[in-house]
Structure formats: C-alpha cells, structure tokens
Amino acid sequence: MQPTPFEYAPAPESRAVVDIASSYGLYIDGAFVDGTGRRFKTVNPATEEVLAEVAEASGGDVDRAVKAARHAYNRVWSKTSGRDRGKYLFRIARILQERAREFAVLETLDNGKPIKESRDVDIPLAAAHFFYHAGWADKLSYAGFGSDPKPLGVAAQVIPWNFPLLMLAWKIAPALAAGNTVVLKPAETTPLTALLFAEVCEQADLPPGVVNIVTGAGATGQALVEHADVDKVAFTGSTEVGKAIARAVAGTRKRLTLELGGKAANVIFDDAPIDQAVEGIVRGIFFNQGHVCCAGSRLLVQETVADEVVERLKRRLTTLRLGDPMDKNTDIGAINSPEQLERIRTLTGIGEEEGATRWSAPCELPDRGYWFAPTLFTDVSQAHRIARDEIFGPVLSVLTFRTPDEAIAKANNTPYGLSAGVWTEKGSRILRMANAVRAGVVWANTFNHFDPASPFGGYKESGFGREGGRHGLAAYLDVA
Amino acid sequence: MTLTVPTPLADAATSDAALRRFLHGLPGVDQVGAEGRAANLATRSIKTTAKAYAIDLAIRMIDLTTLEGADTPGKVRSLCAKAVRPDPTDPSTPSVAAVCVYGDLVGLARDYLGDSGLHIAAVATAFPSGRASLEVKLADTRHAVAAGADEIDMVIDRGAFLSGRYLQVYEEIAAVKDACGEAHLKVILETGELATYDNVRRASWLAMMAGADFIKTSTGKIAPAATLPVTLVMLEAVRDWRDATGTLVGVKPAGGIRTTKDALRYLVLVNETVGIEWLTPDLFRIGASSLLNDLLLQRQKLASGHYSGADYVTVD
C-alpha cells in the first residue's frame, strides 16, 4: 500500500471547563467592584470573538486600590508571620494546580497561545513560582540579607500580555513572600487570568487588600506607578514604556525594577549537536509565537555549518502546526493583537526592503484572527533593523560568524542584554561565552528554559533587577 | 564484500582509525535535548479518524515475535495464524508485516505461511549475545535463509563496537549481508548496551555503511529496550543517510512497546522526523509480542464504541 498522509484529526481542548462572565469589575480590598472609568472588550485573537467586557480603572479606582493595599499592609500583612504568609502561598499554589486546566483554557482563549504551551509551561510554572516563594516566606533571615530583612510596603506591578498568569506569579509570589501587599495591572489585551486569580485569592482566604487587581491600559498603569503612596514599582514590558516609568519614578522614594525588551543572540558553533540545536532555535524564537522578551531572535551561526543549519531549520519549520490554539496538536497560535501583527508586518517589510532574504513556512493561515507564519531572514547584516529592533513575533534573523571573538562581538552589539544561547559540545567554550556575553541569562545547549530558583533579568536596556531565585527576593525587601 | 555506499563514505571504511575519524566526526547528540524533543512529540493527541488510521498502520508494521527457549512448533503455528488474521471476529483487520522466530523454527513458519505475503524474519548471528565466531554466525544466517526466511535480524558485536574495533563490526555486518543473499538484513544495535546517544548515532551509520536494510534498536533481552529518544536518534540517522546517499533505510524499535498509546507515539515520531515516506511496513517495523492485542482491543473499541476485554482477543 502507498503511504498516505498521517493527518492528525482535530483534538480540541474543551472550553466548558471555564466560565467566562460577560463583564468583569476590579478586584479591590477583597471584593469585585465596578470601576468608575469606561469599559473595554477583550477578544480571542484566534477568532476575534469578544470574550468579555472589562472595567478600565480610573485614577480614583487606582487610588482606592492603593489605599486598600496600604491598609492591608499596615493592619494585617506586615504583622503576619513568615510561616503564615507561606501557608497562604502554598494554598494558592495548590489551588492553581487543582484549577490548572481552567487557567490553561482561559489563558489560551484570551492570549492566543497554543493550549499545549499554556497547559505544559505557563500554568505549571506559575504554580511552581508560588511553591518556591512559599518556601522562602519563613526563611528570609537566611537569605543573605541580614537577620531580619523588612518588606518595602505597597508594590505597584504592571505586567505584559505574553505570559499573563506566569508574569503575575513572577510578580505577586515574591512580593507576598517578602511581606508586601500589591496592586497589579494586567495587560489590556489579556486581563482574564488575572481576574480568575482574584477568585483564587478569595478561595485561599487571603486577607482583603493583600492582592488587588486593576484592569486597564496605559493610563491606568501610569496612574498606578505614579501614585504617591506606592513604595515599589515593578514593570515588565517594552523598553519604551520602561524608560517612561523610570523617568516618572526618578526623584521619589520608590524602588524600581524593570524587565524590558531583548534581541538575544543564539550562537551555534560548528561542533554543536546540530539536531538539538535546530530544536533549540525553534524553541528560542517560535515558542509562544516569538512573544518572548528573551526570545533567541538573532541566530548567530558559524559559517562552516550555516547552510546545513538553515536547511535543517527550514525542514523543521515546515512541520510546525499553525492554527486553532485550542487544538492540543497546535505548535503556533495566534498573534495577540492586531497592533502587534501590524508591527511584525512592518518590521518584516523593512527587512525585505533592506535586502535580507525572507523565507516563511508554507502554512495556511486561518481567515479570522491575527496570524503570522513562522519566518526567517537570511543574508542579514548587523546593520539591518531586523537584526537590531525587537520584533516580538515569530521572525528569526540569521547572521553568520567566523571566530568565537566575532560571535561575542556580534552577540554583545545590541542595546539589549536579556538572554543568550550557546550551542557547542565543548565545555570550555560554553564557560568562556557565558563570561563574555553581556546577558542576564545564558543558556547552554538549550533555550527558553525557566525555573523559579533561577534569577531572571537584564543588562543595559533590557532593564535591571532580578526575578526568581534568592536574588529576586532583594527586589521586594528593604535592602541595598 | 558488497559495498552499497558511494565512494566518499566507503573510503571511511578502510581501517579502525578511518572509521573512528568518520563516526566521531558526526555531530554529537545532546541527551537532554533529544529526550526533550521525544517527550514533546509524545504529547501529540491522536484521535478519531487519525487514531483508526494509525492503529491499522501499526498492525501492518508489526513483526509478531516469539523468541523464547521454550518455543514449540505449536506456538509458532498459532503465532502464524494470528499474524495472518489477528482478529478472527473482524476480517477487515489487516495482517501484520512478519513473524519473527529463531532460525530452527523458520521452516515451520514457512510451511504455514507459504506465499501468503507475510514475511518471515529469523534472528541469527548467535542472537541475542552475538558471541560466536564469524563462521558460526554466517552458517546461522545461511541456514535461516535456506529454510525460508526472507528477513534476517542480526546482532552487532557490542564488545567490538565499544572497544573501538569498528572495522570488525563493519566487516561482520557486510559478511552477513552477503550471506543473506536476497533476504533483507535488519541490524540490531542493542542500544541498551551502547549507553550513549552518540554511540547509537555512530552504530546506526556504521550499520548503514556496511549494507543494513533496516536498523533495529534491541533484542528485547536487555533493558532498556526501545525508547522514544533512541528511536528518534536512529530516525535522524536514516534521514541524514538518505540525504547523503539517496538510499532509504528502515527503522525497527523492538522490545517494551506494549500499548496502543506507545505505538502511536512511535508513529508520530516517524511522521514528524522523517515524514510520511517512512510510514510503511517496508521502512518502519515494530518488534513486539503483546502490543498486537492492545491494538486489537482499541480497534474494536473504535468500531463498537465500547471496550470489550482481554477475553475478546486471542492469547496467542
């Protein structure tokens, strides 16, 4: 018999596990309240279906939220022992695990990422961050910050849309473990899992006001970080907004940590394990549609193996399955918003105009929703904008190098410094590269692997401060 | 000795040193990465029509095997009957690819199967250890072929491979290939004894250079037998071999594959590593004894909508 295609039948995850309300308020002082601002819609980027209406917090709403956080800090949370804070965090972690499917489905609907990734990466890692920091809550005296390090107070936290619940966990878990209360603003295109998390706080009997969630866009975020009674500002997002926040916070008593953009180099030496390196390139730039600040968006490949690597990479990209994010076999989901899709189109257009050679995986794009086929550019030079600007999409720029020194020079020749990857079977080369590359994370023979015990953060315009690990605790403690 | 490979590759097979230079010059395999890729593909969800297609394909790829010291003529006869008609209650069930037995039972299997189209595979070359002189191994092979086997499953000399005597392994495979005549040669690497994925990749290339028609993971007598990452590395080897020579070599994971879920994961691995070209019994086999019954139970379940139970498939 002749071989026939082995077509995978649709295997959609059921959306029945999650109830989406038609409209959501703000979560302030342990209760859902109506906002006083106008309302906005959040849509499923894979179908353009409106999922819910969400309140936009006004300046007054933000003020109420900060007051609630201050009150909870003064009256309850600063007097709650580390052991008891740990109990709440363990409880939240367990509830996240119990309701993992619900969160995964909601994340995929609101964000457009494949259910495979929300199910296997986002939600388990979010729970892991709460478990990890729950363990620290009663052991802060042993974290290397003195015998009794103090919290900062009220933390204002603004998070992006690429990993909504996971970024919430990165922000809230260490803040609460260290004894702070928080007001968190999720991104305007992906507010739903943060609002479901508010339910988890209620389920865990977390005292009112310890966690407050205010939804909205840039103006809400600005009101929050500029609020006079905030002690700490933590932001993850674009470098442009990060700079504006740094200016707004300058000259105040507020502590600031920023986790911003990146243009990471993924460096492939000719003695690399080529098949696994190809997987690592795919994971580096096509994971989460490339909506990853630490994405390996610049491939630096040694010229002796450049043609082979690119050929293997193209073959591999033709097997990626783009489509319905709710299908368990989908590898590439939807671009999160029309604005982001436009930005990706603009920058790839510039790439072609500047003379780079474009290749896109031959996949059919659905009619509705926001989609972009996995794309790579060859003949890219260091001066091209696609080699310098963060595209934040499934677009890889391929550059070559001849010597290790050239690889280091090119890897570092960027205003960013969030992450990098090194692929070689030679241990000494890994160590040299890790020392020479100016990036907060350097992955060796892997890419985009995360663990709550490992500090994450940037050099240069990728920001400052660390999240995760012992180092991440410093961002929420009154220590120099 | 028949050389089936183009000159640049054949030149590598002139001495232990030359083979070592070639085999150790192949790109390394990162263990964590290979295992991660295999685990990732194992999450594919194969449902409804795809599952029905894959179950029938898996049945058609089975080498139904009995390799016990206690094998009897009766056991071989019932194995053959089951191979031809795996599910007596449903004539639409396809036959398996082959039966696989020890050399002395090949004649019996041939008497039973005649020219039914099913292949008869014999394990040879002092299976499973491979510890015998070359003369004995070749005689073992010739006997099985003369008795009617059209596929020979040989084992490599792991002792020679691990101590770097690559030329000896190469020449032995080539000699057995010669002794096979028209019969297809499957070369068992016994990956459970090779210890590293780098060795699996090197042994795969060595076997293909020496003329293997198939490369096979295991004898089934050593744990671990077939695993997804080992099979992934071997599939990458046959893919790269095709790119280098234009020749298609088959892959056969054997041992430890017991459930339909396991079998579907292997088919996904083939589909996404080497593509549909390899999704045929001519290029992919699954060596198993107990897998068939689980496939039949799942097949009945898909057809009827409910599970039957172990008594609704035959024990042998």
Side-chain angles (χ1 to χ4, degrees):
Chain A
M1 203 192 289
Q2 285 301 304
T4 54
F6 181 19
E7 298 284 1
Y8 302 163
E13 177 66 68
S14 163
R15 62 184 285 178
V17 292
V18 61
D19 286 324
I20 304 178
S22 58
S23 133
Y24 288 90
L26 311 168
Y27 184 68
I28 295 175
D29 207 15
F32 279 99
V33 297
D34 290 334
T36 56
R38 57 183 193 90
R39 305 182 69 74
F40 64 99
K41 295 177 170 64
T42 182
V43 303
N44 178 345
T47 62
E48 301 179 46
E49 163 205 9
V50 174
L51 293 169
E53 267 203 355
V54 181
E56 179 174 36
S58 65
D61 298 325
V62 168
D63 184 54
R64 271 197 293 161
V66 173
K67 282 200 169 87
R70 173 64 60 195
H71 190 75
Y73 177 75
N74 288 340
R75 296 290 179 84
V76 185
W77 203 241
S78 62
K79 294 173 182 151
T80 303
S81 69
R83 182 188 294 179
D84 284 340
R85 293 198 307 273
K87 279 184 192 169
Y88 285 110
L89 291 172
F90 276 123
R91 211 181 277 168
I92 289 170
R94 281 195 298 270
I95 295 170
L96 284 178
Q97 284 187 324
E98 284 162 12
R99 301 178 67 172
R101 231 171 117 201
E102 199 179 339
F103 271 99
V105 168
L106 188 60
E107 198 75 299
T108 286
L109 288 173
D110 203 17
N111 172 280
K113 66 175 65 200
I115 186 75
K116 183 174 83 172
E117 288 177 7
S118 52
R119 178 194 69 197
D120 295 344
V121 181
D122 291 63
I123 311 304
L125 265 178
H129 268 267
F130 279 98
F131 275 116
Y132 175 81
H133 287 97
W136 268 123
D138 63 350
K139 301 173 196 71
L140 296 174
S141 309
Y142 309 99
F145 303 113
S147 62
D148 188 19
K150 300 293 185 205
L152 293 168
V154 174
Q157 307 179 318
V158 179
I159 59 170
W161 46 260
N162 56 343
F163 295 93
L165 186 75
L166 182 58
M167 290 301 103
L168 173 149
W170 281 27
K171 294 277 182 287
I172 291 185
L176 264 49
N180 306 274
T181 58
V182 306
V183 180
L184 176 131
K185 187 195 87 68
E188 66 270 26
T189 60
T190 57
L192 295 184
T193 46
L195 294 165
L196 187 61
F197 180 80
E199 264 182 45
V200 171
C201 294
E202 288 193 335
Q203 203 181 337
D205 278 331
L206 193 70
V210 173
V211 169
N212 304 277
I213 312 279
V214 292
T215 44
T220 307
Q222 189 179 358
L224 178 57
V225 302
E226 289 180 358
H227 194 286
D229 200 29
V230 157
D231 301 299
K232 153 84 190 180
V233 173
F235 172 75
T236 297
S238 72
T239 293
E240 188 191 349
V241 175
K243 285 178 179 174
I245 290 175
R247 280 191 289 270
V249 167
T252 71
R253 68 189 157 82
K254 294 172 194 173
R255 300 288 180 85
L256 178 63
T257 46
L258 298 172
E259 199 264 88
L260 309 173
K263 192 74 187 177
N266 200 0
V267 185
I268 317 285
F269 286 96
D270 62 4
D271 61 351
I274 298 290
D275 287 314
Q276 288 72 47
V278 167
E279 287 307 313
I281 297 164
V282 172
R283 189 185 174 95
I285 184 62
F286 300 112
F287 172 63
N288 202 34
Q289 295 76 246
H291 300 332
V292 183
C293 45
C294 52
S297 49
R298 282 188 300 149
L299 181 67
L300 294 180
V301 54
Q302 198 154 12
E303 62 181 9
T304 43
V305 290
D307 291 345
E308 186 189 349
V309 167
V310 169
E311 186 192 326
R312 282 166 184 262
L313 183 60
K314 286 179 179 173
R315 179 167 62 194
R316 173 71 176 85
L317 295 185
T318 58
T319 70
L320 286 175
R321 304 171 63 86
L322 177 145
D324 179 9
M326 290 288 279
D327 193 301
K328 292 171 200 163
N329 293 324
T330 292
D331 299 316
I332 305 283
I335 302 300
N336 180 251
S337 67
E339 294 76 23
Q340 189 57 31
L341 181 59
E342 192 46 45
R343 177 176 167 80
I344 298 167
R345 283 179 176 157
T346 304
L347 279 165
T348 48
I350 291 171
E352 286 177 278
E353 282 165 25
E354 288 182 336
T357 307
R358 176 187 182 143
W359 180 91
S360 291
C363 50
E364 215 172 288
L365 303 183
D367 297 334
R368 291 186 67 79
Y370 320 125
W371 304 92
F372 199 87
T375 294
L376 63 83
F377 279 98
T378 47
D379 305 316
V380 179
S381 84
Q382 198 73 7
H384 286 161
R385 273 190 69 192
I386 50 169
R388 307 204 63 78
D389 291 10
E390 184 179 39
I391 299 173
F392 222 64
V395 181
L396 178 69
S397 299
V398 183
L399 299 98
T400 59
F401 68 92
R402 190 165 285 184
T403 64
D405 285 342
E406 186 186 348
I408 291 166
K410 283 185 169 171
N412 285 336
N413 182 215
T414 165
Y416 297 111
L418 195 52
S419 69
V422 183
W423 294 82
T424 167
E425 290 269 282
K426 193 167 182 173
S428 59
R429 186 169 286 152
I430 290 172
L431 296 177
R432 177 170 179 229
M433 291 294 291
N435 278 324
V437 174
R438 307 284 291 164
V441 183
V442 179
W443 282 292
N445 292 336
T446 188
F447 210 97
N448 274 346
H449 267 278
F450 305 97
D451 190 285
S454 174
F456 184 93
Y459 279 70
K460 301 188 280 188
E461 290 200 18
S462 290
F464 46 82
R466 293 292 178 265
E467 294 182 293
R470 191 186 67 81
H471 305 76
L473 294 171
Y476 290 96
L477 290 169
D478 189 12
V479 293
Chain B
M1 192 194 309
T2 18
L3 288 175
T4 57
V5 295
T7 321
L9 281 170
D11 283 351
T14 52
S15 68
D16 281 338
L19 274 170
R20 185 188 148 77
R21 274 195 301 277
F22 176 77
L23 296 174
H24 289 247
L26 294 167
V29 183
D30 184 78
Q31 182 187 341
V32 175
E35 290 173 357
R37 172 67 175 150
N40 197 283
L41 283 176
T43 67
R44 289 288 192 222
S45 182
I46 304 302
K47 301 289 183 207
T48 60
T49 51
K51 189 172 183 182
Y53 174 82
I55 285 174
D56 278 11
L57 183 59
I59 293 173
R60 290 169 47 227
M61 288 173 163
I62 284 183
D63 280 5
L64 196 60
T65 302
T66 184
L67 296 170
E68 301 300 329
D71 282 347
T72 61
K75 174 99 187 267
V76 171
R77 269 194 296 274
S78 60
L79 188 81
C80 291
K82 180 145 185 165
V84 174
R85 179 172 282 200
D87 187 347
T89 67
D90 183 352
S92 74
T93 313
S95 302
V96 304
V99 295
C100 180
V101 293
Y102 272 113
D104 60 328
L105 296 167
V106 166
L108 263 173
R110 180 52 75 197
D111 288 347
Y112 192 93
L113 292 175
D115 47 11
S116 63
L118 266 70
H119 297 288
I120 298 172
V123 295
T125 72
F127 180 95
S129 68
R131 297 254 65 84
S133 68
L134 181 59
E135 290 74 26
V136 171
K137 291 178 182 180
L138 295 178
D140 197 9
T141 306
R142 289 192 191 103
H143 169 264
V145 173
D150 55 1
E151 299 181 352
I152 295 295
D153 290 25
M154 73 167 288
V155 290
I156 65 164
D157 184 338
R158 283 86 76 187
F161 180 87
L162 290 169
S163 60
R165 285 177 280 130
Y166 297 131
L167 189 61
Q168 183 187 333
V169 179
Y170 174 90
E171 286 179 340
E172 205 167 277
I173 297 169
V176 174
K177 169 73 181 168
D178 204 37
C180 281
E182 292 293 298
H184 270 226
L185 177 62
K186 304 194 197 107
V187 178
I188 302 172
L189 310 179
E190 196 62 301
T191 53
E193 290 184 346
L194 298 184
T196 67
Y197 296 119
D198 287 332
N199 275 343
V200 171
R201 171 167 288 175
R202 290 168 192 153
S204 299
W205 276 83
L206 187 60
M208 292 187 290
M209 290 163 80
D213 297 303
F214 255 79
I215 49 176
K216 174 176 169 183
T217 60
S218 324
T219 60
K221 304 292 183 191
I222 296 282
T227 65
L228 284 170
V230 155
T231 308
L232 172 67
V233 171
M234 291 167 63
L235 285 166
E236 287 166 352
V238 299
R239 179 197 64 197
D240 294 348
W241 178 260
R242 190 258 321 264
D243 291 350
T245 67
T247 313
L248 306 185
V249 171
V251 175
K252 176 179 172 186
I257 305 168
R258 296 197 174 83
T259 65
T260 301
K261 202 169 222 176
D262 287 341
L264 297 193
R265 285 173 177 164
Y266 279 93
L267 296 186
V268 165
L269 202 63
V270 174
N271 192 34
E272 300 203 28
T273 309
V274 288
I276 55 162
E277 213 174 345
W278 260 267
L279 280 174
T280 150
D282 295 339
L283 288 170
F284 195 74
R285 293 283 179 85
I286 302 171
S289 46
S290 58
L291 168 66
L292 181 56
N293 272 355
D294 194 60
L295 286 167
L296 295 176
L297 284 173
Q298 291 292 335
R299 197 176 187 280
Q300 291 174 357
K301 194 258 171 184
L302 277 183
S304 68
H306 59 82
Y307 283 102
S308 45
D311 290 340
Y312 293 83
V313 289
T314 58
V315 289
D316 60 20

